[in-house]
Amino acid sequence: MIGLLGSVWCFASPLMSAPDEPAHTVKAAAVARGQFTGSSTGVQGERLAVQVPGYIAKLESNLCFAHHPEVTADCSLAIDAADRGTTTALTSAGNYNPIYYGIVGLASRGLSGETALYAMRLLSTWVCAFFLATIFWAASSLRRFVWPSLAAAVAITPAVLFLSASINPTALEIGTAASVFMCLCSLLERSRALQDSHAKIWCLAVAGALLANTRPVSLLWLAVVVAAAVLAYNLQALGRVFRYRPSWVPVAFLGAACVFALAWVIGSNSFDSLLAGTPVPSDVAAVTMMDHTFIYVPEYVGVLGWLDTPPPPAVVYAWVLAMGVVFMVGMTARPLRARWSVALLTVVVLVAPVALQASSSEKVGWIWQGRYILAVLVVLLLACGVAGRFAPFRTSKRTLSIARWSLVAGALAHTYLLLQGLRRYTVGIAEGHVNWTEMFAPHWQPPFSWQGLTLAYIVVLGIAGYCLYRLLASPQGNVRDTVTKQGTHSSSVLSR
């Protein structure tokens, strides 16, 4: 379901309409052709030169609509699929870790033009969707999985789907961070009986390895995520996982991936790729970031395009309300120990943007965007669900009615933002001009038409909502856990 929703976004957004997508596309095409870095003089923010097919090298010429929400996507020039000759291109992602780019860039081999670009997007979408889906898979193995599953549904905001449908490593960072946290929570909870958890051990190792190798700061996020999961349980459980012999190879694989990631960041000077702007004194940057803490909330929900299309207020309100409910469940959870995980991640979400921006502002100026911390915010919501998993969820008629209407509201919010994005690129969004009806005479149409994509989105959302409702309506919330003689936890639902 997540992959299908992401695929709709993949076609609904014009090519190169996501932040920095041309730079990441050039990098992916270069890595797929054996160029892990590019040539540079080492100047801060200088873009690196690589050799890629001509149609990819010229993608920046198709950004006529970027930062101009009133300009529709029909202003872009046609991409010449026949232009496959090797051409020099510049990319600001030239010395970033090549792992994500190598995966996505494979789709550009043997294809050309728009077909290759959509194939790269779709490959990125489905890889991210796989790891996002493992959140629900791992959550379903917890003794109480209703609140963790609800938190996962809230955590997959429209911004997560939008980013997953573009060529951008941030989406993989989000999916793998969430997968690492939930898989590790599942393993820690069942640490006395791991015989049936080999798949989750390997999922944790692969997700962790990819997370460490997505962005320069991702190693820090991996450490934070692991620490948060351990705080939700205890070190003794982690020790039992490490002592379980079948976990040794996956753990060694993850460790080697982390060593490679650290070596790449240091050896290739990955932070030199940060584009240099007007220097800002660190104290001014810190105070400004603290003042702007909640200004970035719309970006967590879904600011589209090159940060030029904010979500409708109703969509922001819906997600703020849902996030608030999940957060309060986590902060009022019992036992108290579970709250330490939520507290740690809350501090990171609030402090890390300030610290990271202030520490670099005098060298590169103002660089922060909300998506840079989105992976940790998603894990924070998941941690709230895990912490509050023992909170009662009674399947009364009133509760189920609230659940139904909440799912309907969530689906409407998802659809509203998709339509906002489609309106922005089909007829443009001008201040003070309401032009929804003009969409029936669009200046630009995405593949399969905006009507077809919207219908497909609604259908998939409906199916996903029905599946989530069936989970909430299950008797799991009222079943008392039992402990077998071997120390494993079970319930009537988990044994179905």
Side-chain angles (χ1 to χ4, degrees), residues 416 420 423 427-439:
Y416 191 5
Q420 176 81 336
R423 178 168 75 110
V427 294
I429 298 178
E431 187 175 355
H433 180 50
V434 180
N435 58 351
W436 287 98
T437 56
E438 295 177 16
M439 291 179 66

Side-chain angles (χ1 to χ4, degrees), residues 192-236:
R192 297 184 183 277
L194 295 168
Q195 295 86 348
D196 298 327
S197 300
H198 292 189
K200 290 188 181 66
I201 293 173
W202 272 106
C203 181
L204 167 64
V206 173
L210 289 174
L211 172 59
N213 288 276
T214 49
R215 297 174 59 242
V217 77
S218 295
L219 266 174
L220 174 61
W221 297 159
L222 176 60
V224 169
V225 168
V226 171
V230 174
L231 281 175
Y233 291 87
N234 53 66
L235 282 172
Q236 290 77 13

Side-chain angles (χ1 to χ4, degrees), residues 89-321:
L90 299 176
T91 173
S92 58
N95 54 6
Y96 283 1
N97 192 298
I99 300 299
Y100 166 80
Y101 299 101
I103 295 171
V104 174
L106 289 175
S108 69
R109 301 306 302 263
L111 300 174
S112 184
E114 291 188 359
T115 303
L117 297 174
Y118 278 119
M120 294 169 72
R121 272 188 168 188
L122 286 171
L123 181 55
S124 181
T125 297
W126 282 92
V127 170
C128 296
F130 170 81
F131 287 106
L132 291 172
T134 62
I135 307 172
F136 295 93
W137 170 59
S140 68
S141 66
L142 299 176
R143 283 175 286 167
R144 290 283 195 261
F145 58 77
V146 169
W147 279 111
S149 299
L150 276 174
V154 173
I156 302 177
T157 66
V160 174
L161 295 175
F162 168 70
L163 288 170
S164 74
S166 66
I167 303 171
N168 193 312
T170 300
L172 185 61
E173 180 184 57
I174 296 168
T176 51
S179 181
V180 166
F181 177 80
M182 197 59 79
C183 285
L184 184 53
C185 285
S186 176
L187 294 173
L188 294 175
E189 184 162 300
R190 297 175 174 271
S191 61
R192 297 184 183 277
L194 295 168
Q195 295 86 348
D196 298 327
S197 300
H198 292 189
K200 290 188 181 66
I201 293 173
W202 272 106
C203 181
L204 167 64
V206 173
L210 289 174
L211 172 59
N213 288 276
T214 49
R215 297 174 59 242
V217 77
S218 295
L219 266 174
L220 174 61
W221 297 159
L222 176 60
V224 169
V225 168
V226 171
V230 174
L231 281 175
Y233 291 87
N234 53 66
L235 282 172
Q236 290 77 13
L238 182 64
R240 287 190 290 269
V241 174
F242 281 147
R243 290 193 297 271
Y244 184 56
R245 182 166 296 182
S247 72
W248 292 355
V249 173
V251 169
F253 170 74
L254 174 56
C258 291
V259 171
F260 173 81
L262 181 60
W264 185 274
V265 170
I266 297 174
S268 66
N269 299 315
S270 292
F271 288 103
D272 287 350
S273 287
L274 297 175
L275 296 177
T278 303
V280 179
S282 58
D283 57 333
V284 174
V287 173
T288 304
M289 282 297 297
M290 286 188 286
D291 182 63
H292 289 183
T293 295
F294 296 101
I295 289 179
Y296 293 102
V297 169
E299 293 186 39
Y300 305 150
V301 176
V303 175
L304 306 180
W306 284 70
L307 303 182
D308 55 27
T309 308
V315 177
V316 178
Y317 299 155
W319 243 271
V320 168
L321 177 61

